[in-house]
Amino acid sequence: AEKHTVKSLANRMGLSTRHFARLFREEVGMTPGEWLEDMRVETARALLETGNLAPKQVLAECGFIDIDTFRRVFVRRLGITPAEYRKRYGRPLNLDVK
């Protein structure tokens, strides 16, 4: 949920942003931004599948800045909206409290 940038990640590693981005791409096969977006979408998928958090809570947990960005990235990566994803793959809510 933290706000990460290539600069903040490079600083954490003690590298210049350019060198960090180059090393990251060589090791991981994608840019740091692409990787971070992938991780945020995967986290959102897990939360939508298993939890009952509201969409705004999901996007905050995953580090997206607003609902429009969350929706746009989700659709671009998976081809469906977060709401549709939850309908298709989410676990039915258990409202039977004992």
Side-chain angles (χ1 to χ4, degrees), residues 1-25 28 30-40:
E2 294 179 33
K3 183 176 180 174
H4 295 289
T5 63
V6 174
K7 185 176 180 175
S8 70
L9 295 171
N11 285 340
R12 199 178 274 187
M13 299 298 296
L15 301 170
S16 71
T17 55
R18 186 175 171 191
H19 189 60
F20 172 76
R22 186 173 42 250
L23 290 175
F24 193 97
R25 186 168 187 88
V28 181
M30 62 179 70
T31 68
E34 291 168 335
W35 179 84
L36 185 57
E37 192 172 89
D38 278 354
M39 295 302 101
R40 287 184 171 153

Side-chain angles (χ1 to χ4, degrees), residues 3-78:
K3 183 176 180 174
H4 295 289
T5 63
V6 174
K7 185 176 180 175
S8 70
L9 295 171
N11 285 340
R12 199 178 274 187
M13 299 298 296
L15 301 170
S16 71
T17 55
R18 186 175 171 191
H19 189 60
F20 172 76
R22 186 173 42 250
L23 290 175
F24 193 97
R25 186 168 187 88
E26 286 174 10
E27 288 296 317
V28 181
M30 62 179 70
T31 68
E34 291 168 335
W35 179 84
L36 185 57
E37 192 172 89
D38 278 354
M39 295 302 101
R40 287 184 171 153
V41 169
E42 287 304 310
T43 302
R45 287 176 65 186
L47 290 172
L48 292 169
E49 289 171 13
T50 62
N52 56 2
L53 296 176
K56 285 187 179 182
Q57 291 171 306
V58 171
L59 75 94
E61 288 289 320
C62 300
F64 287 100
I65 56 173
D66 59 50
I67 194 78
D68 292 330
T69 302
F70 175 50
R71 190 174 194 280
R72 190 170 38 253
V73 168
F74 208 89
V75 169
R76 182 168 29 86
R77 295 283 180 153
L78 302 176

